[in-house]
Amino acid sequence: MASLSDDTLRKILMQIQQTAIQSQRALNVSMQQTSVKDRERRILQLTIDEISQMNGDVNLYKGVGKMFIHVPRDIMEGELKAQEKELSDDITSLNKKSKYLEKQFNDAQAQLRDIFHHAPKQQ
C-alpha cells in the first residue's frame, strides 16, 4: 500500500468514506420505512381483531374517497388479511435490506480503521 501515490490513497479513502455515508443513510431510511410499515401492520391487526369480535350481522363499510361502500364481512376480512400479509412481506424484505446495509457500513468502517491503524505516523 506504501507504493501507491498520495492522490490514489486519497481517492480510495474518499470512496470508502462515501460508501460508509451512503450505507448509513440508506440504513436509516430502511429502518424508518420498517417502523412505518410495522405501525400500519399493527393497525391492521387491531382492525381485524375488532371485526372478528363483532356479530355476524353487523354492516361493514369501506372508505372510498369521500364515500363509504358496504362490503360483505368475508371480503373485508380477506382484504385486510391480504394487506397484512403484504406488509409483513415488506417488513421482512426491509429487514434483510437493513442487515445488508449494516454489514456494508460496518465493512467500510473496518476498512477505514485498518487504513488509519496501519498508516505511518507523521512526526
Side-chain angles (χ1 to χ4, degrees), residues 27 30-31 34 94-102:
L27 179 62
S30 178
M31 291 173 77
T34 301
L94 283 170
N95 285 335
K96 288 179 185 177
K97 181 179 177 183
S98 293
K99 286 180 185 177
Y100 169 75
L101 291 169
E102 189 173 357

Side-chain angles (χ1 to χ4, degrees), residues 6-47:
D6 285 344
D7 190 41
T8 306
L9 288 174
R10 230 179 245 111
K11 286 180 183 178
I12 292 170
L13 183 62
M14 291 294 291
Q15 185 178 15
I16 293 171
Q17 286 176 333
Q18 287 176 348
T19 300
I21 290 169
Q22 289 172 348
S23 297
Q24 184 65 33
R25 286 182 182 156
L27 179 62
N28 288 338
V29 168
S30 178
M31 291 173 77
Q32 288 173 348
Q33 288 174 342
T34 301
S35 66
V36 166
K37 291 197 181 283
D38 190 46
R39 181 178 181 273
E40 289 176 13
R41 186 175 55 89
R42 279 186 274 137
I43 290 171
L44 274 173
Q45 286 174 338
L46 289 172
T47 304

